[in-house]
Amino acid sequence: MDNLLFSQRAANLQASAIFRMAYDFFGTYNQRRQVPNTLDFAYGNPHDMADPAYVEALGAALIPRDESWFAYKSNEAMAQEAAAASLSRVAGMPFEPADIFMTTGGFTAISLALKAVADPGDEVVFNLPPWFFYEPLAIEAGLVPVKVGINQTTFDLDVEAIAVAITPRTKVVIVNSPNNPTGKLYPPRTLERLAAVLDEASMRHGRRIFLVSDEPYNRIVYDGATFHSPVAFYPYSLLAYSYGKTLLAPGQRIGYLALPPTMPDRDELRRGIETLQMSIGWAFPNAILQYAVPRLEELSIDVGRLQRKRDHMVAALQEMGYRVHRPEGTFYLFPESPLADDREFSEMLAGERVLVIPGTNFE
Ligand code: PMP
């Protein structure tokens, strides 16, 4: 008899050092943020009261218009249509409503993407520093994480290093632009080279490699820059989006997974994704959130205000002597810790009621 009273899958997740750090940090963070006058820079959480237009959109969606208002819902057509129209403008290509799969935020969209195209034992490549949940999402799907460094000076993808990391077991490469935590927007030239590498490696190994483009910040770009979706460069892509960032309401779990119109023969994949949505545990967003999507898509985040906050914070930190760069998108800063031990430094800041995530948590 083995003495493990929980599954190997749960044990594998607990063995992930990066996940343990994220998990432990979140517990302490939730206590510390309750302390009055705390400055919370740790997560993409709201700092202000919710926009009344957001609350009105949810309120309007709550009022039943027919007897099946609160019946079982899957991918609601009104949400798919509004999301497809809006995404088509952002990504510059005509997404079809049938290619939008509504999810409980970006987490589920990524998890669904991994499970839709990869099987246990397959490898998934992502870049360091990563968003700290790629590893647990990969492990939970039975996949093997493979980590690749970025260019330390420009924060751009190291496409040559990605090419070297690809093996016959590679099934997915995840990219995140604009990037959390670096704020980097990957330029078209990088994305073209990445697409060429993925195509060439797929041909060489006789096995299609998929690109998962994680882009919850694709509407949060600064200085008039243009966002280029990686999906526009490689047809075998799955795009994960969350409304949590644009609407500054990550506790209201809604997002989607989208297939681009350029992907050939995607009927089977469409059916596969919907089957997974049901089998994962009816992983659709609640009815009210889906009804609200057409109105939520009309709300626009005040990017100018975020840009002024960015400029204020970057200037202040630089004046204090921190080494910090100016992010092109997202609402994160990635300054260098003045102490070699960044965890010790973040504890010192916590003592001053300033909450930040140590860079170690981003490997
Ligand atoms: N991807 C990245 C890069 C993120 O930063 C986040 C949230 N921090 C997510 C995905 C998940 O977003 P959500 O919590 O809205 O599902």
Side-chain angles (χ1 to χ4, degrees):
M1 188 165 105
D2 74 41
N3 286 327
L4 202 57
L5 293 178
F6 50 98
S7 69
Q8 191 58 50
R9 181 184 302 249
N12 290 347
L13 279 167
Q14 288 186 14
S16 156
I18 188 78
F19 184 52
R20 242 193 351 260
M21 266 190 293
Y23 188 85
D24 292 346
F25 184 90
F26 192 66
T28 317
Y29 161 79
N30 266 334
Q31 287 166 3
R32 285 177 169 167
R33 69 192 296 244
Q34 311 298 335
V35 177
N37 299 321
T38 293
L39 296 178
D40 175 9
F41 297 118
Y43 288 101
N45 270 327
H47 291 164
D48 302 303
M49 285 299 279
D51 179 356
Y54 177 75
V55 180
E56 272 163 37
L58 294 190
L62 175 63
I63 313 296
R65 292 185 210 154
D66 57 47
E67 64 276 17
S68 11
W69 202 245
F70 301 122
Y72 279 110
K73 300 291 164 183
S74 57
N75 294 299
E76 273 297 281
M78 57 157 59
Q80 290 174 296
E81 281 159 23
S86 167
L87 180 61
S88 299
R89 284 192 294 277
V90 171
M93 58 205 303
F95 280 81
E96 290 181 27
D99 285 322
I100 307 284
F101 303 87
M102 304 308 298
T103 60
T104 50
F107 276 78
T108 318
I110 298 164
S111 171
L112 202 55
L114 297 177
K115 289 175 178 173
V117 297
D119 286 301
D122 285 344
E123 291 171 3
V124 47
V125 174
F126 55 83
N127 301 281
L128 299 177
W131 176 51
F132 38 73
F133 253 93
Y134 294 142
E135 176 157 308
L137 290 173
I139 293 173
E140 195 279 328
L143 311 181
V144 181
V146 175
K147 303 166 188 184
V148 174
I150 52 169
N151 182 313
Q152 296 284 339
T153 321
T154 62
F155 290 162
D156 202 359
L157 292 177
D158 186 342
V159 177
E160 279 69 42
I162 293 174
V164 170
I166 290 175
T167 76
R169 298 290 331 147
T170 307
K171 204 71 219 259
V172 173
V173 173
I174 305 177
V175 295
N176 165 223
S177 179
N179 186 268
N180 172 10
T182 65
K184 178 74 182 173
L185 267 173
Y186 300 133
R189 220 170 42 81
T190 301
L191 299 172
E192 275 162 18
R193 282 170 39 234
L194 176 67
V197 161
L198 298 186
D199 230 9
E200 191 278 322
S202 301
M203 294 300 163
R204 186 156 31 93
H205 297 305
R207 198 164 181 259
R208 178 52 64 184
I209 299 171
F210 287 84
L211 182 68
V212 171
S213 179
D214 178 25
E215 38 186 273
Y217 306 98
N218 62 15
R219 288 153 173 87
I220 308 176
V221 298
Y222 302 128
D223 308 313
T226 304
F227 167 71
H228 295 277
S229 174
V231 166
F233 296 80
Y234 187 68
Y236 295 93
S237 294
L238 301 99
L239 186 156
Y241 181 71
S242 166
Y243 288 89
K245 309 302 171 183
T246 318
L247 301 172
L248 293 171
Q252 294 288 346
R253 308 294 305 156
I254 185 158
Y256 55 77
L257 182 66
L259 303 180
T262 43
M263 186 191 286
D265 305 326
R266 57 189 189 283
D267 280 353
E268 297 267 9
L269 182 55
R270 278 179 180 171
R271 274 195 294 280
I273 293 173
E274 198 162 47
T275 310
L276 277 167
Q277 286 179 292
M278 295 173 175
S279 310
I280 284 173
W282 211 264
F284 302 97
N286 286 332
I288 295 166
L289 279 169
Q290 294 208 56
Y291 300 145
V293 167
R295 283 183 67 174
L296 296 182
E297 283 285 3
E298 283 168 18
L299 304 179
S300 55
I301 188 168
D302 189 346
V303 174
R305 180 160 178 268
L306 281 178
Q307 185 172 319
R308 287 192 294 281
K309 275 188 161 182
R310 174 202 66 173
D311 292 342
H312 180 74
M313 286 293 286
V314 169
L317 287 171
Q318 284 176 343
E319 208 178 292
M320 290 175 209
Y322 284 89
R323 264 185 58 187
V324 60
H325 70 294
R326 189 174 297 270
E328 299 168 276
T330 76
F331 36 60
Y332 301 110
L333 296 179
F334 197 48
E336 193 175 284
S337 164
L339 297 189
D341 185 342
D342 62 326
R343 288 155 73 81
E344 184 189 337
F345 183 61
S346 73
E347 282 302 305
M348 277 170 62
L349 287 179
E352 307 280 339
R353 291 194 302 248
V354 177
L355 305 184
V356 301
I357 303 183
T360 307
N361 288 36
F362 291 84
E363 304 189 57

